[in-house]
Amino acid sequence: MKTVSASDLRNNGGEILDAVMRGEDMIVTRRGRAIAELRPLRGPGVRIETLQKAFKHCPGVSNDALRADMAEFLDLSLSVSTTEPSRSRRG
């Protein structure tokens, strides 16, 4: 991640923001100490209706066939047991 000083941000803000818009993440420093992060905003999400239309004509997925395909390529003996309830800390 690139680092820019607060004075560089003040003096070259347009160029720095252009770089952020191109996808670069930056750390802003003041006197060598990190004080902020600059990163591009996420684009707008896709509505569920749009996804449903896009995938309407795709074939369905069989869970059994998917598991069989995975078993062919993966060592399923390494899978994590899901029989024990997860333990979460509540404060």
Side-chain angles (χ1 to χ4, degrees):
M1 189 176 303
K2 187 174 179 181
T3 302
V4 296
S5 68
S7 60
D8 283 342
L9 180 59
R10 181 183 62 241
N11 296 331
N12 304 304
E15 293 172 23
I16 292 168
L17 291 178
D18 287 344
V20 171
M21 287 176 60
R22 287 191 303 270
E24 289 185 49
D25 293 344
M26 300 202 186
I27 300 286
V28 180
T29 62
R30 179 181 283 162
R31 293 185 212 110
R33 185 172 161 231
I35 60 168
E37 291 183 23
L38 294 175
R39 67 174 61 113
L41 291 175
R42 294 182 187 177
V46 179
R47 297 183 55 84
I48 188 68
E49 294 84 7
T50 303
L51 292 173
Q52 288 171 334
K53 283 181 186 178
F55 292 100
K56 181 178 182 179
H57 300 290
C58 291
V61 176
S62 161
N63 289 338
D64 292 333
L66 178 61
R67 284 189 190 102
D69 287 345
M70 290 175 60
E72 183 178 344
F73 295 102
L74 302 174
D75 183 358
L76 298 181
S77 68
L78 300 175
S79 64
V80 176
S81 171
T82 58
T83 57
E84 292 184 32
S86 63
R87 299 173 196 237
S88 62
R89 294 183 185 183
R90 297 181 184 205

